[in-house]
Amino acid sequence: MLIKRLHDYFGFNRQQRNGLIVLCSLSVLLFGVRLLYPLFLPDPQIQEVMLPFEPVDRELKDGTLPVSKMYVGTPIDPNTAPIEAFEERGLNPRSARALIRFRDKGFVFRKAEDLKKIYGVSAEEYQRLSPLLRFPASSKNKKALQFAAVKQIKKLEVNSADSIAWCELPGIGPSFAKRILKYRNLLGGFARLDQLKEVYGLDEERFQKIQPFLLINTDSIRKIDVNTAEFKTMVRHPYIGYELTKEICNKRRKQPFTAQNLCELGFSEANCVRLQAYLTFGP
C-alpha cells in the first residue's frame, strides 16, 4: 500500500514523461549551441591607437593641485593679498581659506616660514609659494602693517556688496559674510549701519573695525505694504514676527493701517521707529 502511494505521488504518466524528454533535449541542444557558436565567429580585428596625453587641470581628492597647473609667478604680500592671489600661486583652496581666517584673527606674517603654521599647507606648496612672499619694511611694526593694510581696503556699500567684498573687511570671513547677507535679505536691506550689530556674533568691537569702510544707500530697501502683504511675507521680517503679523491681518480687514495707528498695536516705540523704513501703507 505504501509503495503504491509513493508511486502515485512521484510517478509520471506517459504524457509527462514525453514532455520531460523534450525539455531535456532542448536544454542539451541549447547548451551545445552556446559552446560551439563562438568557434564559427571571425577573429576580432583589434587596433592599437596611441592618443596624446593631456593633463587635466582640476583639484585632486586631497585638495592639492596637479603639477601641470600653470601658476602666477608675481610676488605678493601675505598680510594683504586676497584669497584668490594665494590660489593663483599654487595654494590649495582649503589652505587658502585657513590662511585668511588665521590672518583675520590678527596674525601677522613676518617671514616665509610662518606659512608652515597654516594647517594643510604641504611641503610642495610651501616650496612653490615661499619665494613669492614679500614683506614690507614696516612689517616689524604690527600697528604700522595693519594701518597699511587698512588703507588699501575699498569702501563697501552694505546693501549691494556681495560676500567676496565683505570678506575683504578686517575681521569678516566667509562665515560672517554669509550671516550678513542672510540677515540683509530678511530685513529687505539695511536702513542704518548700526543694524549690522544685530547680526549674530558681530559685536561692538568688530563693528568698530569695519565701520570706517562702510557706506549705505537706502534706495534699494525692499518694503512691505502693510495693507496688502501676505501673511508669510510679514511674518518672516525680524521686526514683526508671528503675533504682530496675526494682529495686523485681523485688524486690517476692518480698517486700513496708517503710520500712526500701526504703532498702537503693540510695537515698542523703538521697534516702531526702526520698522518705518520697511513699511508702506497702500489703500
Side-chain angles (χ1 to χ4, degrees):
M1 178 67 91
L2 179 61
I3 295 176
K4 184 177 183 303
R5 288 184 178 180
L6 291 175
H7 182 272
D8 292 340
Y9 186 80
F10 292 104
F12 298 99
N13 58 33
R14 182 176 181 180
Q15 185 178 5
Q16 291 172 332
R17 286 196 297 271
N18 291 339
L20 185 61
I21 292 172
V22 172
L23 182 61
C24 292
S25 301
L26 287 175
S27 299
V28 172
L29 178 63
L30 291 174
F31 183 71
V33 171
R34 174 65 181 85
L35 291 177
L36 299 176
Y37 179 72
L39 300 178
F40 296 95
L41 295 176
D43 294 335
Q45 300 297 320
I46 302 176
Q47 297 181 353
E48 294 185 359
V49 179
M50 300 298 293
L51 297 176
F53 173 73
E54 296 183 0
V56 179
D57 181 14
R58 61 185 179 187
E59 293 183 13
L60 302 178
K61 292 182 178 180
D62 60 358
T64 59
L65 294 171
V67 178
S68 59
K69 173 83 174 179
M70 297 298 294
Y71 301 113
V72 177
T74 54
I76 57 172
D77 182 353
N79 293 298
T80 58
I83 187 172
E84 295 81 7
F86 294 100
E87 295 179 7
E88 291 171 354
R89 287 158 181 79
L91 193 62
N92 70 77
R94 187 185 309 167
S95 298
R97 291 192 294 269
L99 186 150
I100 296 299
R101 289 195 297 269
F102 205 47
R103 195 175 69 185
D104 287 345
K105 293 180 180 179
F107 183 80
V108 177
F109 292 90
R110 303 181 186 279
K111 55 185 182 299
E113 287 76 10
D114 289 341
L115 192 64
K116 296 180 180 179
K117 299 178 181 179
I118 307 302
Y119 177 78
V121 176
S122 65
E124 180 184 355
E125 290 173 325
Y126 172 76
Q127 293 296 329
R128 182 165 54 243
L129 188 59
S130 57
L132 303 178
L133 301 182
R134 297 293 181 267
F135 305 90
S138 59
S139 61
K140 295 181 180 180
N141 187 327
K142 184 176 180 180
K143 291 185 178 180
L145 180 61
Q146 291 176 337
F147 179 74
V150 164
K151 290 177 63 178
Q152 298 179 13
I153 299 176
K154 297 179 181 179
K155 291 283 187 177
L156 178 148
E157 202 286 302
V158 296
N159 284 325
S160 59
D162 57 18
S163 58
I164 296 176
W166 280 103
C167 287
E168 294 178 357
L169 298 181
I172 302 296
S175 179
F176 264 115
K178 184 177 180 181
R179 291 183 206 169
I180 291 170
L181 296 185
K182 182 179 180 180
Y183 191 65
R184 184 180 73 185
N185 185 55
L186 287 174
L187 282 175
F190 293 105
R192 302 183 314 278
L193 291 179
D194 60 2
Q195 287 176 288
L196 284 166
K197 290 186 285 186
E198 298 171 13
V199 176
Y200 176 75
L202 206 157
D203 54 19
E204 180 67 29
E205 181 181 356
R206 198 180 302 268
F207 175 72
Q208 292 300 328
K209 286 182 180 179
I210 65 175
Q211 186 178 13
F213 313 108
L214 303 180
L215 300 173
I216 189 165
N217 179 6
T218 59
D219 293 341
S220 59
I221 289 179
R222 187 175 66 253
K223 297 190 176 186
I224 300 173
D225 190 327
V226 179
N227 292 314
T228 60
E230 295 182 358
F231 184 94
K232 62 181 180 180
T233 301
M234 287 191 290
V235 77
R236 286 197 298 259
H237 199 281
Y239 295 166
I240 302 178
Y242 177 80
E243 293 298 332
L244 287 173
T245 300
K246 185 170 65 172
E247 191 171 356
I248 289 172
C249 291
N250 288 335
K251 292 191 175 182
R252 72 184 181 183
R253 297 190 185 100
K254 302 176 182 178
Q255 180 182 3
F257 281 104
T258 64
Q260 289 73 29
N261 61 19
L262 179 67
C263 291
E264 298 173 1
L265 285 182
F267 291 100
S268 66
E269 183 177 354
N271 196 23
C272 190
V273 170
R274 65 179 181 174
L275 191 57
Q276 296 296 327
Y278 300 98
L279 301 180
T280 60
F281 301 88

